[in-house]
Amino acid sequence: LRATAEPMTTPTLTRWLLDHTRQNPSQEDLEALLSSIAMGCKTISGIVQRAGVDGLDGAADTINVQDEQQKQLDIIANEVLKDALRYTGKVGLAASEEEADPMLVEEAFGSKYVAVFDPLDGSSNVQAAVATGTIFGIFKQNVECLVDDDDENMDDDQTRCLLNALQPGRSLVAAGYCMYSSSTVLVFSLGDGVHGFTLDPRSQEFVLSHDDVRIPERGPYYSFNEGNAKEWDAHVRGYLDSLQGVKGSRYVGSMVADVHRTLLYGGIYGYPADTKNKNGKLRLLYEAAPMSFLVEQAGGRCSDGRRPIMDVVPSSVHQRVPVFLGSSEDVRDLEAFYSDDL
Ligand code: P6P
């Protein structure tokens, strides 16, 4: 029997990564890292699906660095992802929405990559069984982070290493999300297009379901929490007024679900600044930047209203940023409402 060159069935994530590594040998470590994140997301998916049965869908008795009451699942998902990243030996530094400060990974101090993540975004929706998701981004450590244990400048080196977490979206080498909804869908980019894999419950394998995702130039929906409309600036209100009777409104209130729909169907997702949140609600490093990376890789556009989100350099790990992202022409229309005060 001669092995055929063409895949006999839809490739699994494992096979897709092996093929991708053969074509891009320099990305072998990155693919190993992605495979580990996928395993972590698969674990989180199972925990989320069973949370209501296991009594884990409620609040924890702790407040996180965002001054938000943590959910039990926030804490569990955070530990699952930290373990998945730690044991790859490829991540020297990690930053999480659920951790006050970036974490130096002892087992792999000075390793090639930095991982940033929101372990379970939209966790407040779990009790209503509404979609949630994990968001992640991968950077390279661009500041030399090799520190000898007996190095008398250990503290200085560690401080310098932590700077590796404060990189703009433009420096991402990979990003993605895993949505836990009616199905579990892992969507990521390694810098050469966006690909989606759906978890097959029978085999527990991620199977290619969205090859080379391209976002339409315009789309049928806008996705904003209009309950905040009175707190928005005139630019955003003017733009939303222009959409009435033109686009439908779709808003889940879980960023991963709203961005996933926007990627596939087109349109615009936004979480603007408002009088209560001067920089909006969403965090730049591990929510807005990874999602913007994906949207740009799919041919879409991202903006804080005045400039690409990908160009915003974080000055702190949990910095927030106004977010508009989606179909390129829809986001350009939004930006035009800001152009009069550029
Ligand atoms: P609001 C979830 O808490 C989250 O961070 C995003 O997933 C979501 O898009 C946003 O907040 C929803 O915020 O104020 O509309 O409930």
Side-chain angles (χ1 to χ4, degrees):
L1 276 178
R2 184 170 59 82
T4 55
E6 289 307 310
M8 303 296 282
T9 56
T10 307
T12 62
L13 175 66
T14 307
R15 167 148 189 186
W16 189 93
L17 288 172
L18 285 171
D19 289 346
H20 196 272
T21 303
R22 263 197 291 277
Q23 295 157 34
N24 308 273
S26 64
Q27 290 197 329
E28 188 171 5
D29 282 350
L30 192 54
E31 276 130 12
L33 179 48
L34 195 90
S35 181
S36 187
I37 290 172
M39 288 297 291
C41 290
K42 200 187 296 186
T43 302
I44 294 169
S45 176
I47 293 168
V48 168
Q49 300 299 323
R50 295 188 306 270
V53 176
D54 298 343
L56 290 177
D57 58 350
D61 53 6
T62 48
I63 304 293
N64 68 11
V65 67
Q66 323 284 345
D67 203 23
E68 296 165 344
Q69 178 163 48
Q70 286 184 300
K71 300 291 182 285
Q72 295 175 84
L73 289 179
D74 286 325
I75 298 167
I76 296 167
N78 191 46
E79 291 308 314
V80 167
L81 265 188
K82 286 192 319 189
D83 285 347
L85 292 167
R86 180 179 295 126
Y87 294 111
T88 63
K90 314 283 183 201
V91 174
L93 183 69
S96 165
E97 179 190 22
E98 300 303 330
E99 303 280 350
D101 301 307
M103 301 158 279
L104 291 167
V105 182
E106 299 310 321
E107 295 82 349
F109 199 43
S111 289
K112 194 186 245 184
Y113 294 113
V114 180
V116 298
F117 54 92
D118 181 354
L120 193 62
D121 183 74
S123 56
S124 57
N125 291 301
V126 168
Q127 281 183 309
V130 171
T132 54
T134 297
I135 307 170
F136 61 89
I138 307 292
F139 297 96
K140 281 189 175 167
Q141 293 230 64
N142 55 20
V143 169
E144 194 59 28
C145 228
L146 300 175
V147 172
D148 301 327
D149 286 345
D150 57 1
D151 182 337
E152 70 279 1
N153 298 322
M154 188 76 168
D155 288 348
D156 295 348
D157 288 334
Q158 288 203 355
T159 303
R160 196 179 68 249
C161 287
L162 296 180
L163 291 176
N164 276 308
L166 301 180
Q167 298 187 54
R170 205 60 74 194
S171 300
L172 283 164
V173 294
Y177 58 80
C178 191
M179 181 177 69
Y180 313 116
S181 182
S182 52
S183 56
T184 294
V185 188
L186 175 69
V187 177
F188 65 82
S189 174
L190 298 169
D192 53 1
V194 176
H195 310 283
F197 294 78
T198 299
L199 186 63
D200 180 338
R202 295 159 303 189
S203 64
Q204 281 299 301
E205 287 269 17
F206 279 109
V207 178
L208 183 65
S209 51
H210 302 78
D211 191 15
D212 195 17
V213 176
R214 304 299 295 168
I215 188 169
E217 282 192 355
R218 281 193 184 286
Y221 301 126
Y222 68 93
S223 185
F224 290 67
N225 179 348
E226 292 182 272
N228 298 329
K230 281 199 286 190
E231 312 300 334
W232 292 337
D233 64 36
H235 310 294
V236 178
R237 289 204 309 274
Y239 175 64
L240 267 286
D241 288 347
S242 75
L243 298 182
Q244 299 315 304
V246 177
K247 289 187 188 300
S249 174
R250 292 287 186 281
Y251 191 74
V252 177
S254 182
M255 185 185 197
V256 171
D258 284 318
V259 171
H260 186 64
R261 184 203 54 252
T262 303
L263 258 184
L264 298 188
Y265 298 173
I268 184 169
Y269 168 81
Y271 205 103
D274 60 43
T275 52
K276 289 175 291 187
N277 303 294
K278 297 290 183 215
N279 288 313
K281 174 180 183 182
L282 301 177
R283 273 61 55 140
L284 169 61
L285 186 64
Y286 42 76
E287 291 172 334
M291 290 306 206
S292 297
F293 180 82
L294 289 173
V295 167
E296 284 200 0
Q297 281 288 320
R301 188 174 176 85
C302 63
S303 174
D304 67 0
R306 296 179 173 85
R307 58 182 166 158
I309 290 172
M310 297 282 275
D311 295 341
V312 182
V313 181
S315 50
S316 65
V317 173
H318 303 294
Q319 173 176 332
R320 299 171 194 262
V321 69
V323 175
F324 304 98
L325 56 79
S327 293
S328 55
E329 292 311 303
D330 288 328
V331 176
R332 284 187 203 283
D333 288 351
L334 174 279
E335 289 173 310
F337 280 81
Y338 274 98
S339 58
D340 53 6
D341 70 348
L342 282 180

